[in-house]
Every structure is written in C-alpha cells, then in structure tokens.
Amino acid sequence: VSTQSTWEAVVSTQSTWEAVVSTQSTWEAVVSTQSTWEAVVSTQSTWAAMAEEIFTSEGRVLQITGVKNPGKTCTIFVRGSNKLVLEEADRSIHDALCVVRCLVKEKSMIAGGGAGECEVSIRLRRYADTQLGGLDSYCVKAFSEALEVVPYTLAENAGLHPIKMVTELRKQHNDGKKFAGINVKQGTISNLWDENVRQPLLVSTSAMSLASEAVQMLLKIDDCVATR
C-alpha cells in the first residue's frame, strides 16, 4: 500500500509537471504570436494628422487627413446640390478613369476632334480608288464614309454646322494636315495636337473593332422570322 501511494504521488507529480510544461509552451506560443502581431502592426501602421467624423446629408463619414504613407489607393467623395449633379460628376470621374486605364493598357495617343477618324477615312478611300476594284472597293468606301460619322456628330453636338466642318476637315487632311481636328471652343479646324487635345489610341481602335463586329453579325443574318 505504501509503495502504491508513493507511485501515485510520482504519477501525480509527473502530471503536474506535464501541465506546467504545457502551460509554459502555450505561454511561449502566445508571446510569439504577440511579437509577430506587434511586428505586423509596426510594419502596417502609419501616421495621420487628423481623423474626424463629419456629418453629411446622407449620414456620417469618417475623414482621415494628413496621412504620412497614403499608399496607392484613394477615396473620392463626391457631393452635389442634387442627384443630377452627382450623376454627372460620377460619369465624368468614370470617363477620366477609363482614359487612364486605356493609357495603361496601350501607351499611345492620337489627336482628338475627329482627326484620327478623318485621316483613316481618307486613306481608306484612297486605297479603294488606287488598289482595289469591283465590289471590294465599294465596301471599303462605305467603311470610310462611316468613319466620318464621328467628326460629324462631334460638330453637331458642339452646335456647329456639321456638313461645313466635315468638308473643311476633309480638305485639310487631303492637304497633308493629319493632326487637323474640330476645335469646338473656337468653332474652327485647327491642329489639335499642338493644342494638347488628344485621346488614347485604344478608344478609337476599340470603337472601330466593335462597330465592325456588329456589322459582320448583321450581314450574317440571312432570314427573318416574324413573331408576335
């Protein structure tokens, strides 16, 4: 009985020791985790001059200003007198971001004001007259005429005489002025490249590609089914 009691005491002592070792291991793991977390917080933390809660008509907004390391992201807070102004501002910001995206995808620019479309139209018409014949030339000429819709619509939206502006634009491009475009502010045809009126090349090429694909889909239709 005495030996058994001693053995039970040894087992109890060993269990207590294992519990102490387990507790110590757990504490070391906690300390290690805390050190790692402090390192992460120290790495990711930044400094800001002010963090304040501002009140708007839509609710409360947390505004943080004077950030020392702002990173590469930002938040645009748009406010306006009515919903129409907000939607217009949202469209303008979206268009500006799309321009930046186009320049990131393809770092090329062309003169704006319908200059690129008019130049391509003239060269296609010249190609159809000199190197093509038959039905192919008619197709190419029709495509070149369709490109003139862009400067025509631009002049019309600007309140200018579209036929007069497109005729003058075509004349200047025939004279070799490939950067000539419709200047909507002055109501004339001028060198828009020198006036820094430019647009990403990807915008024009994407529009031409999508328009061509749409026409190809329409030409593949060989019959119509009447439905009610």
Side-chain angles (χ1 to χ4, degrees):
V1 174
S2 177
T3 304
Q4 185 176 0
S5 300
T6 304
W7 176 248
E8 290 178 353
V10 170
V11 171
S12 176
T13 305
Q14 184 176 2
S15 301
T16 305
W17 175 250
E18 290 178 352
V20 170
V21 172
S22 177
T23 304
Q24 184 176 3
S25 301
T26 305
W27 175 251
E28 290 177 353
V30 170
V31 171
S32 176
T33 305
Q34 185 176 3
S35 302
T36 305
W37 174 249
E38 289 177 353
V40 171
V41 171
S42 176
T43 304
Q44 299 294 332
S45 62
T46 184
W47 180 87
M50 180 180 295
E52 59 179 343
E53 191 177 44
I54 60 176
F55 295 88
T56 65
S57 58
E58 300 295 332
R60 296 179 296 178
V61 177
L62 180 62
Q63 178 178 339
I64 302 175
T65 57
V67 180
K68 186 176 181 181
N69 300 316
K72 297 182 179 180
T73 60
C74 65
T75 301
I76 302 176
F77 186 56
V78 182
R79 299 182 66 182
S81 58
N82 51 51
K83 186 177 180 181
L84 181 62
V85 175
L86 288 176
E87 291 177 352
E88 187 65 27
D90 180 64
R91 283 192 293 268
S92 300
I93 295 173
H94 181 266
D95 293 341
L97 294 176
C98 288
V99 170
V100 175
R101 178 185 63 86
C102 291
L103 288 176
V104 170
K105 294 182 66 175
E106 185 171 350
K107 298 177 178 61
S108 300
M109 300 183 70
I110 60 175
E117 290 78 7
C118 187
E119 182 68 19
V120 174
S121 175
I122 289 176
R123 296 201 178 193
L124 284 177
R125 189 180 294 107
R126 192 177 303 164
Y127 171 75
D129 293 335
T130 57
Q131 301 184 26
L132 292 179
L135 294 177
D136 293 340
S137 64
Y138 283 101
C139 295
V140 174
K141 286 181 180 180
F143 189 88
S144 66
E145 291 176 0
L147 291 175
E148 292 184 350
V149 174
V150 175
Y152 185 95
T153 307
L154 178 62
E156 191 175 21
N157 291 339
L160 304 174
H161 197 288
I163 298 177
K164 179 181 177 181
M165 299 302 295
V166 172
T167 303
E168 179 64 22
L169 180 63
R170 191 187 304 119
K171 176 181 178 300
Q172 293 199 19
H173 277 267
N174 282 324
D175 294 338
K177 300 177 181 179
K178 60 181 180 180
F179 294 136
I182 300 176
N183 192 328
V184 297
K185 292 184 177 180
Q186 300 179 2
T188 58
I189 306 298
S190 59
N191 190 328
L192 296 184
W193 184 267
D194 293 340
E195 297 182 11
N196 292 326
V197 181
R198 305 170 187 178
Q199 67 181 33
L201 176 63
L202 187 61
V203 174
S204 298
T205 55
S206 299
M208 293 181 187
S209 300
L210 294 175
S212 301
E213 292 175 2
V215 172
Q216 291 175 4
M217 292 176 60
L218 294 175
L219 292 176
K220 290 180 181 179
I221 299 176
D222 55 356
D223 196 5
C224 297
V225 179
T227 59
R228 293 184 179 179

